[in-house]
Amino acid sequence: MLLMSSLIFIFLVVLVPHVVLARGIRRSEEILVFDQNYKVTWGDNHVMSLNQGKEIQLTMDNSSGAGFASKMTYGSGFFHMRIKVPGTDSGGVVTAYYLISQGNRHDELDFEFLGNKEGKPYSLQTNVFADGEGNREQRIHLWFDPTTNFHDYKILWNPHQIVFYVDNIPIRVYKNNSNLGVSYPSKAMQIQASLWNGENWATDGGQTKINWSYAPFKANFQGFDISGCQSQSLIDPNCVSYNYWWNDKNYWCLDPAGQRQYENVKQNYVIYDYCSDRQRYPIAPLECIH
């Protein structure tokens, strides 16, 4: 009897956690399939499903680009996508991953990869729209080549802050300063991604046009599970609940290590910040001061 009890104890302590973990892995793998959470929204014949739906490739030629979007909208969350952007001569080509609300005075959170001539670096632009007001562009040069491998791009959005991450390194923070009269995104947003022609503005202020001899351009996406508060209404008070881990106090501000990483990005990789552009803003916008 003692031996049997010992064996049962060993099974519970050692084997059961592995069974639970295996279930979690299987569930996660199922969620990663594109069709479960996303749908193609335009350019159907320029979209290819790879690896049994765990990877999507968008292509662009001189006839069309392509895009996809989440089936649901979300009122808060920690959103991510693994992306590999077009290589070679990609000037004028824009790969976008963003959140956007519908209707007038929309909210929007943008990752925009701005292609460049061969041998010149990509620029990664982020932007924040709140209550229809945008023009909050920041651009960085990445510390790696985003055309050669997949990298993680994430957006934390809760009632206290929005943080843009690249490979878990914070590259931008937008705090909730609504108490000072600064607009802050609060509308339910859909996740979208696209590959499109931005030659009128994206590279060298629109001076560099797309070299179509390099078409079709290809952008690849992975990681289709979503950590977000699903919302059917434009403003959903349930999405600010502390029951969602991304709303926990630990995510109200960067921790010390994250703050050091963020300061390093600002010092060494930022190439444009609207907060410092005195030609556009002789007086710095209020959110830039606080």
Side-chain angles (χ1 to χ4, degrees):
M1 179 65 73
L2 181 60
L3 177 61
M4 180 62 70
S5 299
S6 299
L7 290 173
I8 293 172
F9 175 79
I10 292 171
F11 174 80
L12 292 174
V13 172
V14 177
L15 298 182
V16 170
H18 291 278
V19 173
V20 173
L21 180 59
R23 288 175 182 168
I25 291 173
R26 284 198 297 271
R27 189 182 305 116
S28 176
E29 287 177 347
E30 291 172 0
I31 292 174
L32 287 174
V33 176
F34 174 84
D35 290 338
Q36 182 165 342
N37 288 326
Y38 289 89
K39 60 185 178 182
V40 176
T41 51
W42 63 287
D44 294 50
N45 61 346
H46 287 66
V47 180
M48 181 180 294
S49 177
L50 304 171
N51 192 20
Q52 298 180 323
K54 295 179 183 178
E55 183 175 334
I56 291 293
Q57 183 180 86
L58 303 183
T59 64
M60 186 183 77
D61 54 30
N62 56 8
S63 68
S64 180
F68 63 85
S70 60
K71 296 178 179 179
M72 297 294 300
T73 57
Y74 301 87
S76 65
F78 198 7
F79 307 95
H80 76 97
M81 192 72 68
R82 289 178 54 76
I83 304 171
K84 183 169 67 172
V85 299
T88 64
D89 192 325
S90 57
V93 178
V94 178
T95 307
Y97 166 55
Y98 56 105
L99 310 179
I100 187 169
S101 69
Q102 302 303 311
N104 296 327
R105 305 188 69 83
H106 76 288
D107 294 343
E108 184 175 343
L109 307 174
D110 296 330
F111 274 117
E112 293 174 309
F113 301 83
L114 311 182
N116 213 334
K117 291 182 177 180
E118 192 165 11
K120 292 187 176 182
Y122 258 79
S123 295
L124 174 56
Q125 175 169 286
T126 57
N127 203 352
V128 175
F129 285 76
D131 200 27
E133 180 185 352
N135 298 319
R136 298 184 174 99
E137 301 93 345
Q138 292 183 0
R139 292 184 184 183
I140 68 170
H141 280 159
L142 294 163
W143 47 94
F144 55 84
D145 182 352
T147 72
T148 57
N149 290 297
F150 286 92
H151 290 269
D152 289 307
Y153 303 93
K154 303 179 181 181
I155 301 173
L156 169 70
W157 171 36
N158 65 32
H160 299 273
Q161 65 173 352
I162 293 161
V163 185
F164 294 80
Y165 292 88
V166 175
D167 289 339
N168 296 319
I169 295 174
I171 65 162
R172 180 172 186 175
V173 178
Y174 185 85
K175 304 294 289 186
N176 187 346
N177 286 310
S178 55
N179 61 317
L180 301 175
V182 178
S183 54
Y184 188 80
S186 58
K187 302 178 180 71
M189 292 189 275
Q190 184 184 43
I191 308 166
Q192 296 195 19
S194 59
L195 180 64
W196 56 284
N197 182 345
E199 66 177 3
N200 290 332
W201 66 274
T203 309
D204 300 325
Q207 297 181 56
T208 298
K209 304 301 182 182
I210 293 175
N211 185 343
W212 291 110
S213 66
Y214 286 90
F217 302 97
K218 300 177 181 181
N220 292 58
F221 300 81
Q222 297 175 345
F224 302 117
D225 55 314
I226 299 173
S227 297
C229 170
Q230 293 186 5
S231 174
Q232 299 284 358
S233 58
L234 192 60
I235 303 292
D236 191 339
N238 293 324
C239 290
V240 303
S241 168
Y242 296 148
N243 291 329
Y244 294 107
W245 62 264
W246 52 84
N247 292 335
D248 184 84
K249 192 172 183 178
N250 290 327
Y251 297 92
W252 291 5
C253 61
L254 297 180
D255 63 21
Q259 188 63 43
R260 288 192 295 271
Q261 292 174 323
Y262 180 42
E263 293 300 328
N264 179 62
V265 169
K266 289 195 293 184
Q267 291 175 16
N268 296 299
Y269 298 100
V270 172
I271 57 173
Y272 176 81
D273 184 352
Y274 78 108
C275 286
S276 304
D277 191 339
R278 289 296 167 266
Q279 186 171 355
R280 286 177 67 189
Y281 300 102
I283 300 176
L286 190 57
E287 69 267 21
C288 299
I289 302 172
H290 297 274

